Amino acid sequence: MEPSEKINIGLLGYGTVGSNVYSLLEEQAAEIKKATGASISINKILVRDPSLPRAGAPPELFTGNFEDILNDAAISIVVELIGGTEPAFDFVTAALEHGKAVVTANKQLLSRQGFYLFRLAQDKKTQISFEASVAGAIPVIKVLRESMVAAGLKSIYGIVNGTTNFILTEMSRTGARYHDALARAQEWGYAEADPSEDINGKDAAAKMAILASIAFHTNVGLDDVACTGIENVSRLDIAYARDLGLAVKLLGVARLYQDRINVRVYPALLKQDHPLASVSGAYNAVFLKGAAIDEIMLSGPGAGGMETASAVVSDIVSVVARRESPGFLEYPVAYRGLEFFPDEEVVSTFYLRLEVEDEPGVLAAIASAFGKHGVSIQSVIQKGRGARAELVMVFHPVKEARFAAAIEEAGRLEVIKSTPRPIRVEGNHGGGE
Ligand code: NAP
Ligand code: HSE
């Protein structure tokens, strides 16, 4: 029997994901060796404070100095799991420049510097893999890059943040308070080091930028994705939505409008029988729609240490399997250079909850403000609350620019006592159709 090849890894970060990558590689060593013909092991681990006691890996593997990994010629793969853009960008750049392959789960980094790093990997004839950067354990990057080449993709949308989906599910099912649900998401390792990235939609926007870039072969960065988070979704909205047979979800939507692209993240109301409405907890789900495939839905755990570690290990295995020929990475990723379709021109349906004076003529004044901009009301329910009332309204589909003008006008009416905060309502096919 031939001795198996030995592949040495330098691991950057030993937190929620990094520590699970270590244990998964240990536990699955025999399986991985059978699949790849190689013995894969972690040789060095970078952390901030290597003197701290840590479960799992032996203390001698830890270092506080990245140069120990960079200058170790035996290490051929660097796995970056520290998160954030700095110093991750410098570490990943240096690793690629030294010809090492990189595996990363860092959507913040890729949505800002991805195309520079992809090109650098190409120039250096090495690989950068990033399955775990989007949708946790779901192999959506691999499916997009390898299985959808001839699918004629037109849209890609879904739930791509586990923390907010967990919070919305808890608030809806158990009436949990927002802060309690967030604390539980942090405790279970779903949230980012700075959880405001989850809550304000930036984490989902970064993932949608990566997905859109890969799906449509164009360069979409974080700044190209308009995002609204769940900060302003209240327990009342969730309860009223449930009365209307709707569920609240934070959606990421990327769509081609002929040869222009629009990518956004926003909270949306979905009919209870929509497949995304039943995606609960920290699960994610992504719909791919295309001329040749109709519709494919991929779903599974979108966050969590071990779940994400499984995607990281799958990337390590792919990098090892492709070490002689990087295959897809020999070709430029963004060869189309599409223009963007403006948000204001997208046609959407909106839900709106307004706190108003409970007096005659109020509804007429509000309807008139919307009517002036060609925005028509589909349904309205009034909920009495003492001297005040709440109007829960759903509108007919309208260009977003017109709806924004109508909201501005209505917001100036004295009878309205709350800041109007509309939520989009998605149709049966999702993504604003
Ligand atoms: P984490 O628990 O905060 O762990 C971060 C690790 O990186 C820690 O070990 C930390 O060292 C180390 N680190 C941070 N800054 C460093 C620096 N400047 N120099 C050296 N080491 C440094 O993070 P995580 O949840 O594992 O997330 C890691 C990455 O995976 C992020 O990009 C995240 O977005 C992504 N991700 C996470 C999940 C999830 O469910 N958690 C899912 C998908 C993707 P110390 O231990 O010394 O503090
Ligand atoms: N914080 C992220 C989420 C981790 O909740 O989805 C997975 O990328």
Side-chain angles (χ1 to χ4, degrees), residues 30 43 50 67 72 84 129 145 160 222 232 237 283 334 342 355 389 392:
N43 280 36
E67 302 289 314
D72 185 338
S129 286
R145 296 207 72 191
V160 293
L222 182 61
N232 293 321
D237 288 321
Y283 268 53
E355 203 178 308
V392 178

Side-chain angles (χ1 to χ4, degrees), residues 107 132-133 136 160-164 190-192 198 203 207 284 302-303:
K107 56 262 170 171
S133 64
V160 293
N161 182 271
T163 300
T164 46
Y190 303 147
E192 293 304 300
D198 295 293
D203 176 86
K207 291 164 176 169
N284 284 185

Side-chain angles (χ1 to χ4, degrees), residues 13-18 46-49 54 81-83 87 105-108 132 189-190 192 303-304 308:
Y14 196 74
T16 308
V17 183
L46 178 76
V47 286
R48 276 179 286 221
D49 183 355
R54 299 179 192 256
L81 296 170
I82 61 179
N106 193 332
K107 56 262 170 171
Q108 300 94 336
Y190 303 147
E192 293 304 300
T308 308

Side-chain angles (χ1 to χ4, degrees), residues 273-313:
D273 62 1
H274 191 292
L276 290 176
S278 56
V279 174
S280 59
Y283 268 53
N284 284 185
V286 181
F287 269 101
L288 313 176
K289 275 181 93 169
I293 56 164
D294 192 5
E295 192 163 80
I296 288 174
M297 175 172 157
L298 303 168
S299 75
M306 188 49 93
E307 294 84 346
T308 308
S310 98
V312 173
V313 171

Side-chain angles (χ1 to χ4, degrees), residues 21-67:
V21 167
Y22 183 85
S23 48
L24 201 54
L25 279 175
E26 290 274 293
E27 283 161 25
Q28 299 296 328
E31 282 296 318
I32 292 170
K33 190 169 165 184
K34 276 186 199 136
T36 61
S39 295
I40 301 174
S41 61
I42 290 177
N43 280 36
K44 291 193 173 85
I45 304 174
L46 178 76
V47 286
R48 276 179 286 221
D49 183 355
S51 65
L52 288 179
R54 299 179 192 256
E60 63 272 17
L61 293 194
F62 290 93
T63 173
N65 185 1
F66 174 65
E67 302 289 314

Side-chain angles (χ1 to χ4, degrees), residues 297-324:
M297 175 172 157
L298 303 168
S299 75
M306 188 49 93
E307 294 84 346
T308 308
S310 98
V312 173
V313 171
S314 83
D315 264 351
I316 295 172
V317 166
S318 298
V319 164
V320 171
R322 292 193 303 240
R323 60 198 178 283
E324 302 304 334

